[in-house]
Amino acid sequence: MAPEQPGRDDDTGRYVEQYPEGSILGAIDENGGATGTKAVADTLGCSYETAYRKLTGMDGERVTSERVGNARLWSRLNK
């Protein structure tokens, strides 16, 4: 039997998404509905880069953002 590989489904061998969209949206909600990238990363326990990549991938579809000073403020889109 092959050893277990972290991040992979035991049955299919495919990678399992560690931070699905639902967890990103939940992190926004937990931080008051409008929050910065660092707060999302801290809530999820992931790197800033991972949170930013996930958020930008969802921008315009599930979340919206605006520049505030030198930061980006993220909130859910209500569609």
Side-chain angles (χ1 to χ4, degrees):
M1 182 179 345
E4 238 182 74
Q5 295 180 351
R8 287 188 181 255
D9 181 277
D10 291 337
D11 296 326
T12 65
R14 291 182 144 179
Y15 282 104
V16 177
E17 186 174 18
Q18 190 170 359
Y19 304 105
E21 285 187 1
S23 65
I24 302 293
L25 296 172
I28 292 171
D29 292 342
E30 284 183 40
N31 286 287
T35 190
T37 307
K38 182 173 180 345
V40 170
D42 290 346
T43 299
L44 294 174
C46 67
S47 70
Y48 178 93
E49 291 78 14
T50 296
Y52 184 76
R53 188 171 51 252
K54 296 296 285 189
L55 287 161
T56 56
M58 296 168 60
D59 198 8
E61 296 174 15
R62 304 286 307 269
V63 300
T64 186
S65 68
E66 69 178 88
R67 295 278 295 168
V68 177
N70 196 28
R72 193 159 288 282
L73 186 65
W74 301 94
S75 57
R76 290 179 89 148
L77 270 178
N78 294 322
K79 285 190 174 184

